[in-house]
Amino acid sequence: MTPVATHTSAPTLVKGSRAARSTITLKILMAASGIVFIGFVLVHMYGNLKAFAGHDAFNEYAHHLRTFGEPILPYEGLLWIVRVGLIAALVVHVASAYALARRASTARTQKYAVKKNRSSSLSSRTMRWGGVTILVFLVWHLLNFTIGKINPSGGATNDPYNLMVDTFDLWWMTIIYLVAMLALGLHLHHGTWSALQTLGLTGTAAARTRAKTAGWVLAVVIAGGFSLVPLFVLLGVISK
Amino acid sequence: MAMTDASGTVALNQPSVQTSDDAAGYYTPGEPIVDAKAPTGPIATRWTNRKFENRLVNPANRRKLTVIIVGTGLAGGSAAATLGEAGYNVKSFCYQDSPRRAHSIAAQGGINAAKNYKEDGDSVHRLFYDTVKGGDYRSRESNVYRLAEVSANIIDQCVAQGVPFAREYGGLLDNRSFGGVQVSRTFYARGQTGQQLLIGAYQALERQVAAGTVTTYTRHEMLDLVMVDGKARGIIARDMVTGAVETHTADVVVLASGGYGNVFYLSTNAMGCNVTAAWRAHRKGAYMANPSYTQIHPTCIPVSGEHQSKLTLMSESLRNDGRIWVPKNKEDCDKDPRDIPEEDRDYYLERIYPSFGNLVPRDIASRQAKNMCDEGRGVGPMVGDFRRGVYLDFADAIARLGKAGIEEKYDNLLDMYERITGENPYEVPMRIYPAVHYVMGGLWVDYDLQSNIPGLFVTGEANFSDHGANRLGASALMQGLADGYFVLPNTIRDYLADGPFETVTEDHPEVVAAHQAVQARIERFLSIDGERSADSFHKELGHLMWEYCGMERTAEGLRKAIDGIRELKREFWSNLKVLGTADSLNQSLEKAGRVADFLELGELMCIDALNRRESCGGHFRAESQTEDGEALRIDEEFAYVAAWEFGTAVENDPNEPQSSMGTPVLHKEDLIYTAIEMKQRSYK
Amino acid sequence: MKLTLNIWRQADAAATGEMRTYALDGVSEDMSFLEMLDVLNEQLNAKGEEPIAFDSDCREGICGTCGLMINGQAHGPEVTTTCQLHMRSFKDGDEITIEPWRADAFPVVKDLVVDRGAFDRIIQQGGFISANTGSAPEANSVPVPRDKALRSFNMATCIGCGACVAACPNGSASLFMGAKITHLGELPQGQPERDQRVVNMVGQHDHEGFGGCTNIGECAAACPKEIPLDVISQLNKDLRTALKHGH
Ligand SMILES: Cc1cc2nc3c(=O)[nH]c(=O)nc-3n(C[C@H](O)[C@H](O)[C@H](O)COP(=O)(O)OP(=O)(O)OC[C@H]3O[C@@H](n4cnc5c(N)ncnc54)[C@H](O)[C@@H]3O)c2cc1C
Ligand code: HEM
Ligand code: SF4
Ligand code: FES
């Protein structure tokens, strides 16, 4: 006979778990793609700073990016390799972020009436909105400089240096870029530490401190470095 | 004249003959018990022989044998895991939301094992000797010897499971001496040994759940034992979430339901510790042995006020460095202790026991603290009309070892003290007071851990067998795990070799009757509709027990307590108030059931204490002391185990059938020693 | 002191709950937080209102049974368990909001009581070392370096209370899992099952509906046993290693 036992242990045990299907794997993908971005933005920032060297040096650099690796690679060959890589990383990064955010929202459907934060930082709490901000910005940014080559001041678009100066001569364009950089800075402040933690590289208190410091440094260097050019254009230091 | 047993082993003492009869009228004398399973032969060979004699169960048959284990503490958790591994079909019950929360988790100090890693002269025999002597010669020697024998295997087993014991720099296990013992045999994991051992057992248990051999029933409270044809065949349990009263049948039932120290209301036990499982079995015929043997631990944080719900233990190890004192003059009791000059302090343990000083055994340290407070020299806030506390002072130790030295040794304990009292023990002496901590008494079991009900086994603190009248530090954990990992799995198979037994169906009349009785009792609690909460009855019972059946007991006090308890019991059954329903989580209802059983147990404890007109271990009868106030054991009369049978319920109480208790029947089991000679303890 | 208490009341798992407000007088500083609730319950019982259900057992901070969200903080304002929180951390006139742990993987059973069975199921999936009783070698045959033993011990002090989940904005149980992974992973005995352990535990964790970790650190800040965030790093690393080994 079966005793009347109302105890059920649903949800039951899962069978045959696969590491590749776990939330942690999604996180590892985010971290890896995030680090690709970090590498990219560092190079990108270095390129932008060429603006301080003047019109010709900047355009030379932009041209050089396209001819790099010739004749082994075709014109813009390397650039396309990088672009494909970045697009793939973006798809992975955004898709994982979306999946994790959805999970998190179903993990607590009934919210607290009162909830205090003890240790989270502004940056850690704004990762999701910050990410969306960056994404939206990215679309505009590509329209602005890469795909659409939209010159908001109506000027010529065939000269990268001039297009840039025209853009940032508009105060509101500079503001948009600065806001985006603020978002990026915040994103990197938490993101860098988070990526290192996700990759399991923060096993000791010392390593954790280092990772947090790295977050600060990258956030300041990258967000600050990118902001210099628009600011100096607006201030008239960089001009046509 | 020396007696010999069947194998020619010589007995060193005669059976005792009781001449006093303090409890006359409160009990009925019964037949003496002879442990039918008692092994014979030289003590060192008994367990080995028994393991060989006990029959085996064919591995193919094990799956068909169902074992119910009530309790997931060290005793129950380890047994469930081990029997699961062996292939039995195990059902494991606990009242908490997870097996990992059983009260074993709270043990602080450590676990003994005769490993002799320090090469300081320890051995199985010495651990055996210390434990019997520590128990004041009121335990069974064969059981204790077996305990000492398997102790070393426990450490091996736990280490293999990943229990992170303290280690030395070379990576080998560390151990320390504990509780006044002169060898180093206590293994520990900082001040959280019980937690680490229990997590080990819990993980082994959960592994078997995944393997499909063990099913856990958490938040399930056993409310009755199912007996069919004189055998234990299952339990009635209430699902505490849905309120469903369920029948679970099995081939054998194991109770590992822990101790009942909460009968005193305030104790170091967890809030949920109870006697219900054991008491329900007792009511069905299982003997309750030495119920009055209670251990009162000397170093606990004193009561702070009326609303106190429990007491917190401060590990015994503090006595290694702290000095205990009270003011010499009553007038100084409310002064800041730091302002009391050295010459006005009475370091009473050092004064009375110059050779052991602050390290006297628990029972003695506790009783002396009580004596000081009774003299009016207690310290701390007034609770009622008394100050209940003595100082445990670290000033000298801080001067000697530095604050850092003390921090390293006791940090988490001193922090816990500060959290609870709000006082900084590095600056002001700590205040401590004895509190109920452990019960040596429990259900009677034979050498195979089987009670007098066939098919009902009892392990851990719930049984009575190994600690006599006083338990040494670090030996309850040892016993729980010895029982669960090594003893029970080897003895239960002899019983199960006759199984599987005929299936018991749910409509079997005895099952139906048990089920109905449980349901009726629940309905009764909900329908009394009086004025008082179960908790208030519990508190009142606790006061009576502490006052009259606590550290010092007298015939007069015990009689008073029995009257008081009977009175309280009557009021309980007519003036209880339990709100809510039976078919949902109802903590007041759970509490009511437990208090009802505590009320009956309390009465039996007093009767047992009244009958035992001697002082032994934790049981101190004021009538039996030496000239200088030390415990006086009377072996000629009391070298026996008092096993109580539940008196048939009296029928003159038709309104309250669930509360009526007949006169209990006393069965005596003589304690005969062949490997150790009885001596009076002395710590002067 | 006198307090105003906003407490979540919910009859059972299926019912919709609500916050209810109670006034309580005569609270003393020396009471523990749960003793304060005991007093309230005694008064409710006398008035004929069903007492508030909340979990506790050891009341000394070791069993992990208790756990309340107190003014938005898991276990309240101190780094300790709810049962070890004392009223001297509050002051006269305070308003205190008390809620159950909130996570879909910890459904409310009644009032402030939740079901944390998910933790047991995570352990079932690998939170152990397989060592059948009787099969153990002599304890000192495998030395464990002291620093590893210490780290293992520190992580083994997790009491399974669930405060980490309650405090985490993602409802993740990574700290709990990381503590177990690190406890067993630091020991030589824990090596043979190491990859399988992390894969299965994480699989069950995800299956139970806990969220993924975003390394925010609310868990470690709420943990009464001060389990540090680096156990999550360890967890991630172990999973990465298992991935590499093809699990
Ligand atoms: C504060 C403290 C410190 C201690 N320190 C030490 C020490 O350092 N060394 C040492 O050796 N000993 C120590 N002890 C003693 C030791 O911890 C206990 O004696 C031992 O752990 C008891 O284990 P157990 O398995 O028998 O019972 P427990 O661990 O109490 O388990 C009882 C189990 O039974 C279940 N249960 C009970 N009733 C029911 C019911 N009606 N229905 C269903 N389930 C039920 C419970 O859910 C639980 O799972 C200490 C005790 C305390 C209180
Ligand atoms: C230049 C662009 C970007 C860079 C350099 C970057 C970098 C990073 C890094 C390093 C992380 C940490 C990963 C981890 O936690 O392990 C991260 C996390 C995150 N990123 Fe980005 N990212 C960028 C763009 C975006 C975009 C476009 C989105 C948009 C939707 C986004 C959304 C997120 C979110 C939500 C997280 C947090 C996820 C989590 O911690 O679980 N990021 N990012
Ligand atoms: S990690 Fe900390 S907060 Fe989480 S369950 Fe363990 S003890 Fe509780
Ligand atoms: S009740 Fe045990 S930890 Fe709080």
Side-chain angles (χ1 to χ4, degrees):
Chain A
M1 60 134 245
T2 39
V4 203
T6 55
H7 178 93
T8 52
S9 51
T12 46
L13 294 183
V14 287
K15 292 264 156 24
S17 302
R18 302 289 308 163
R21 294 206 202 106
S22 64
T23 45
I24 296 180
T25 302
L26 284 180
K27 290 282 306 179
I28 292 175
L29 289 174
M30 283 203 77
S33 52
I35 286 174
V36 168
F37 293 150
I38 292 175
F40 166 73
V41 289
L42 276 171
V43 173
H44 186 359
M45 180 191 74
Y46 166 79
N48 283 10
L49 291 176
K50 291 263 176 197
F52 284 103
H55 176 274
D56 293 351
F58 187 82
N59 281 358
E60 170 68 19
Y61 167 76
H63 177 69
H64 190 67
L65 283 182
R66 285 161 176 80
T67 57
F68 197 94
E70 280 184 34
I72 297 172
L73 294 172
Y75 181 73
E76 288 201 342
L78 180 78
L79 210 53
W80 272 110
I81 291 173
V82 172
R83 280 175 183 159
V84 168
L86 285 173
I87 290 168
L90 189 69
V91 169
V92 165
H93 196 81
V94 174
S96 315
Y98 177 73
L100 286 167
R102 267 199 52 158
R103 273 199 71 93
S105 73
T106 52
R108 180 174 296 124
T109 44
Q110 166 81 271
K111 305 281 182 256
Y112 288 109
V114 182
K115 176 76 171 78
K116 278 196 194 112
N117 294 307
R118 263 185 182 165
S119 107
S120 55
S121 56
L122 176 68
S123 53
S124 68
R125 285 193 301 272
T126 50
M127 286 305 272
R128 287 177 188 138
W129 285 113
V132 172
T133 310
I134 296 171
L135 189 63
V136 170
F137 165 77
L138 202 63
V139 172
W140 162 246
H141 179 62
L142 292 177
L143 287 175
N144 188 182
F145 287 112
T146 311
I147 308 166
K149 307 233 171 175
I150 297 169
N151 189 332
S153 66
T157 60
N158 58 354
D159 181 320
Y161 183 83
N162 289 347
L163 176 60
M164 179 187 78
V165 175
D166 282 347
T167 304
F168 295 129
D169 264 339
L170 297 170
W171 64 269
W172 53 273
M173 276 308 298
T174 300
I175 297 282
I176 289 178
Y177 272 81
L178 290 182
V179 167
M181 285 313 111
L182 181 68
L184 184 61
L186 284 172
H187 201 82
L188 286 174
H189 169 242
H190 181 72
T192 306
W193 131 257
S194 180
L196 292 171
Q197 167 91 352
T198 297
L199 294 174
L201 304 175
T202 46
T204 61
R208 237 181 308 149
T209 315
R210 255 180 275 133
K212 297 223 158 162
T213 315
W216 272 110
V217 170
L218 279 179
V220 169
V221 167
I222 293 178
F226 273 117
S227 303
L228 287 178
V229 175
L231 273 175
F232 280 77
V233 170
L234 193 64
L235 294 175
V237 177
I238 297 174
S239 59
K240 280 199 245 182
Chain B
M1 195 204 76
M3 301 185 310
T4 52
D5 74 7
S7 67
T9 312
V10 181
L12 301 172
N13 64 306
Q14 303 286 335
S16 53
V17 180
Q18 187 175 342
T19 50
S20 67
D21 199 5
D22 278 3
Y26 289 99
Y27 76 103
T28 319
E31 290 298 305
I33 321 179
V34 183
D35 174 2
K37 294 287 181 54
T40 53
I43 197 148
T45 60
R46 291 179 184 172
W47 177 230
T48 311
N49 290 342
R50 174 52 49 86
K51 280 191 286 187
F52 180 71
E53 291 154 17
N54 280 349
R55 289 167 299 162
L56 301 171
V57 177
N58 180 343
N61 259 346
R62 296 183 193 160
R63 201 62 213 126
K64 298 179 211 140
L65 290 160
T66 304
V67 183
I68 283 180
I69 302 182
V70 180
T72 58
L74 289 180
S78 57
T82 305
L83 293 174
E85 287 159 8
Y88 295 99
N89 178 27
V90 179
K91 296 168 114 186
S92 154
F93 292 79
C94 66
Y95 69 75
Q96 292 92 342
D97 70 331
S98 163
R100 67 179 293 153
R101 308 204 199 281
H103 187 55
S104 295
I105 200 126
Q108 299 173 351
I111 177 167
N112 286 333
K115 279 285 196 188
N116 193 26
Y117 281 160
K118 295 256 157 108
E119 198 57 38
D120 55 0
D122 198 11
S123 63
V124 167
H125 200 86
R126 189 177 299 281
L127 175 54
F128 156 69
Y129 176 87
D130 287 348
T131 308
V132 173
K133 177 180 173 215
D136 219 357
Y137 304 94
R138 289 293 175 262
S139 47
R140 262 199 214 132
E141 64 169 7
S142 305
N143 290 53
V144 179
Y145 197 91
R146 174 177 64 192
L147 178 63
E149 214 177 324
V150 302
S151 64
N153 306 27
I154 297 174
I155 303 300
D156 298 342
Q157 180 60 31
C158 295
V159 166
Q161 290 171 343
V163 171
F165 285 117
R167 287 178 183 267
E168 293 169 340
Y169 284 97
L172 301 179
L173 292 166
D174 190 16
N175 55 33
R176 60 187 177 194
S177 80
F178 191 74
V181 172
Q182 280 145 339
V183 291
S184 239
R185 64 158 77 102
T186 305
F187 293 80
Y188 65 102
R190 217 173 288 163
Q192 283 147 265
T193 317
Q195 178 195 31
Q196 294 310 318
L197 295 173
L198 184 63
I199 287 176
Y202 157 74
Q203 290 173 179
L205 170 78
E206 293 296 355
R207 170 175 165 243
Q208 290 310 304
V209 174
T213 58
V214 177
T215 311
T216 49
Y217 296 84
T218 57
R219 289 200 202 271
H220 272 65
E221 184 165 27
M222 167 182 167
L223 294 178
D224 211 350
L225 180 71
V226 172
M227 302 235 329
V228 176
D229 301 332
K231 286 192 183 129
R233 290 304 307 272
I235 62 170
I236 309 284
R238 179 170 177 271
D239 178 329
M240 294 154 74
V241 173
T242 64
V245 174
E246 303 166 355
T247 305
H248 296 266
T249 55
D251 294 284
V252 66
V253 176
V254 180
L255 295 189
S257 49
Y260 51 77
N262 271 352
V263 65
F264 290 86
Y265 187 72
L266 287 182
S267 79
T268 62
N269 286 8
M271 302 302 287
C273 290
N274 67 88
V275 75
T276 293
W279 194 257
R280 295 285 119 195
H282 175 57
R283 275 182 153 264
K284 288 271 163 104
Y287 297 165
M288 193 77 182
N290 302 330
S292 69
Y293 285 171
T294 310
Q295 179 161 81
I296 298 187
H297 198 291
T299 50
C300 302
I301 301 179
V303 176
S304 68
E306 274 303 300
H307 300 296
Q308 188 110 16
S309 58
K310 76 151 284 165
L311 296 170
T312 304
L313 178 76
M314 291 279 103
S315 170
E316 186 154 38
S317 57
L318 292 173
R319 283 200 282 148
N320 291 338
D321 285 302
R323 294 180 72 196
I324 296 177
W325 63 276
V326 290
K328 281 188 179 157
N329 311 312
K330 289 181 191 173
E331 304 73 55
D332 287 348
C333 287
D334 51 0
K335 276 197 188 153
D336 183 328
R338 288 167 294 187
D339 296 340
I340 302 177
E342 201 58 30
E343 63 272 18
D344 288 339
R345 300 176 175 192
D346 179 9
Y347 294 90
Y348 58 89
L349 288 177
E350 298 169 27
R351 171 171 59 81
I352 309 174
Y353 307 99
S355 61
F356 275 75
N358 292 302
L359 292 176
V360 290
R362 291 176 178 179
D363 46 345
I364 295 176
S366 293
R367 205 165 48 249
Q368 292 299 357
K370 175 187 187 310
N371 290 344
M372 297 304 132
C373 297
D374 287 353
E375 283 176 26
R377 296 197 284 143
V379 297
M382 284 282 202
V383 176
D385 44 6
F386 250 98
R387 291 179 202 280
R388 292 198 175 89
V390 299
Y391 290 123
L392 176 62
D393 199 335
F394 280 90
D396 284 1
I398 292 176
R400 186 160 33 93
L401 303 168
K403 188 175 173 223
I406 296 294
E407 245 165 18
E408 194 188 313
K409 273 173 116 166
Y410 304 114
D411 194 37
N412 60 342
L413 290 173
L414 299 192
D415 280 355
M416 176 145 87
Y417 178 84
E418 182 166 6
R419 179 150 282 137
I420 293 173
T421 62
E423 287 172 16
N424 180 350
Y426 292 103
E427 283 164 14
V428 199
M430 288 168 84
R431 285 176 296 110
I432 52 163
Y433 198 67
V436 174
H437 175 61
Y438 182 85
V439 292
M440 283 72 71
L443 290 176
W444 184 89
V445 288
D446 63 17
Y447 183 71
D448 280 357
L449 304 182
Q450 185 166 208
S451 73
N452 57 308
I453 297 179
L456 179 69
F457 289 72
V458 190
T459 60
E461 194 174 338
N463 76 20
F464 87 104
S465 66
D466 297 358
H467 307 294
N470 176 50
R471 176 179 67 80
L472 287 182
S475 58
L477 301 184
M478 169 171 72
Q479 184 221 337
L481 290 180
D483 285 1
Y485 284 133
F486 300 109
V487 179
L488 182 80
N490 275 304
T491 57
I492 206 170
R493 60 181 156 84
D494 192 52
Y495 182 79
L496 288 173
D498 289 328
F501 302 108
E502 204 181 314
T503 317
V504 176
T505 54
E506 210 159 310
D507 53 8
H508 189 287
E510 292 189 79
V511 176
V512 172
H515 193 275
Q516 279 173 352
V518 167
Q519 213 124 28
R521 199 165 117 108
I522 290 172
E523 278 154 26
R524 180 92 187 93
F525 289 134
L526 286 164
S527 62
I528 297 173
D529 199 22
E531 299 285 327
R532 291 180 60 181
S533 68
D535 210 50
S536 77
F537 286 104
H538 190 189
K539 218 180 241 187
E540 200 174 327
L541 171 68
H543 279 303
L544 283 170
M545 293 300 293
W546 181 244
E547 206 51 46
Y548 300 113
C549 198
M551 275 183 279
E552 184 174 309
R553 300 152 172 189
T554 63
E556 194 199 341
L558 288 163
R559 293 199 184 102
K560 214 189 239 172
I562 295 170
D563 289 346
I565 294 170
R566 289 180 177 169
E567 185 53 42
L568 194 61
K569 195 158 45 180
R570 267 191 291 278
E571 193 191 341
F572 178 88
W573 287 101
S574 57
N575 197 22
L576 176 72
K577 178 173 186 175
V578 177
L579 296 170
T581 58
D583 58 1
S584 69
L585 182 73
N586 188 338
Q587 293 171 328
S588 317
L589 180 63
E590 294 157 17
K591 178 92 204 211
R594 294 172 193 166
V595 174
D597 292 332
F598 279 140
L599 282 163
E600 296 181 10
L601 166 75
E603 182 176 330
L604 183 67
M605 286 171 74
C606 292
I607 295 173
D608 182 48
L610 182 59
N611 172 59
R612 191 170 285 274
R613 191 193 178 88
E614 68 159 346
S615 298
C616 56
H619 169 67
F620 186 83
R621 275 290 295 269
E623 296 91 338
S624 182
Q625 47 183 310
T626 61
E627 276 155 25
D628 43 3
E630 297 301 324
L632 182 65
R633 215 179 60 222
I634 307 178
D635 295 334
E636 309 75 58
E637 285 196 67
F638 294 104
Y640 67 78
V641 174
W644 298 90
E645 182 184 348
F646 190 76
T648 328
V650 243
E651 302 300 336
N652 64 0
D653 206 0
N655 294 324
E656 312 296 345
Q658 33 271 80
S659 70
S660 63
M661 238 173 98
T663 19
V665 184
L666 172 60
H667 301 273
K668 297 179 183 177
E669 180 198 338
D670 286 318
L671 291 169
I672 302 293
Y673 293 92
T674 65
I676 183 169
E677 212 169 331
M678 293 203 260
K679 294 202 185 90
Q680 284 286 350
R681 293 189 307 170
S682 169
Y683 295 92
K684 290 263 167 174
Chain C
M1 51 176 133
K2 212 171 179 166
L3 301 169
T4 306
L5 304 167
N6 303 315
I7 302 179
W8 182 259
R9 302 296 316 250
Q10 179 174 339
D12 56 49
T16 44
E18 55 165 10
M19 292 301 265
R20 241 180 265 165
T21 304
Y22 301 92
L24 186 64
D25 202 354
V27 175
S28 104
E29 290 212 319
D30 289 329
M31 281 181 190
S32 71
F33 195 82
L34 297 182
E35 283 164 1
M36 181 274 290
L37 289 179
D38 289 341
V39 172
L40 175 65
N41 272 345
E42 191 68 25
Q43 293 182 4
L44 291 180
N45 194 65
K47 274 194 292 192
E49 179 172 346
E50 201 182 334
I52 298 151
F54 62 88
D55 259 335
S56 79
D57 205 26
C58 75
R59 295 212 179 175
E60 48 184 87
I62 193 78
C63 72
T65 308
C66 64
L68 300 175
M69 206 67 181
I70 301 168
N71 281 341
Q73 291 181 292
H75 290 306
E78 318 280 345
V79 180
T80 189
T81 55
T82 303
C83 59
Q84 288 287 286
L85 178 66
H86 280 69
M87 295 312 292
R88 63 181 78 87
S89 300
F90 299 87
K91 49 184 199 313
D92 189 33
D94 273 0
E95 176 164 346
I96 307 177
T97 301
I98 308 172
E99 296 173 81
W101 286 169
R102 295 240 183 257
D104 289 36
F106 287 171
V108 172
V109 171
K110 179 170 183 167
D111 295 342
L112 302 171
V113 176
V114 300
D115 175 2
R116 285 167 294 198
F119 272 9
D120 289 334
R121 291 187 292 271
I122 291 177
I123 297 296
Q124 281 161 26
Q125 285 290 45
F128 49 74
I129 290 170
S130 299
N132 283 0
T133 305
S135 62
E138 152 61 37
N140 258 348
S141 59
V142 188
V144 184
R146 197 158 177 273
D147 53 341
K148 284 190 168 267
L150 254 175
R151 183 160 192 248
S152 172
F153 173 82
N154 286 339
M155 307 318 156
T157 58
C158 162
I159 56 175
C161 62
C164 44
V165 175
C168 174
N170 302 306
S172 171
S174 291
L175 195 69
F176 167 79
M177 249 190 321
K180 188 49 57 199
I181 291 291
T182 313
H183 161 206
L184 300 177
E186 283 292 323
L187 299 171
Q189 291 86 348
Q191 300 316 310
E193 295 167 293
R194 194 163 177 173
D195 286 346
Q196 206 58 57
R197 174 179 308 125
V198 69
V199 173
N200 290 343
M201 285 175 72
V202 171
Q204 187 69 26
H205 168 275
D206 293 353
H207 177 70
E208 296 286 348
F210 291 106
C213 171
T214 57
N215 303 318
I216 281 185
E218 284 297 331
C219 52
C223 175
K225 297 293 145 182
E226 301 178 76
I227 303 290
L229 269 189
D230 53 60
V231 301
I232 299 185
S233 180
Q234 187 72 57
L235 170 74
N236 294 333
K237 189 173 179 178
D238 277 25
L239 189 96
R240 186 157 55 81
T241 312
L243 265 175
K244 207 158 65 190
H245 294 167
H247 284 278

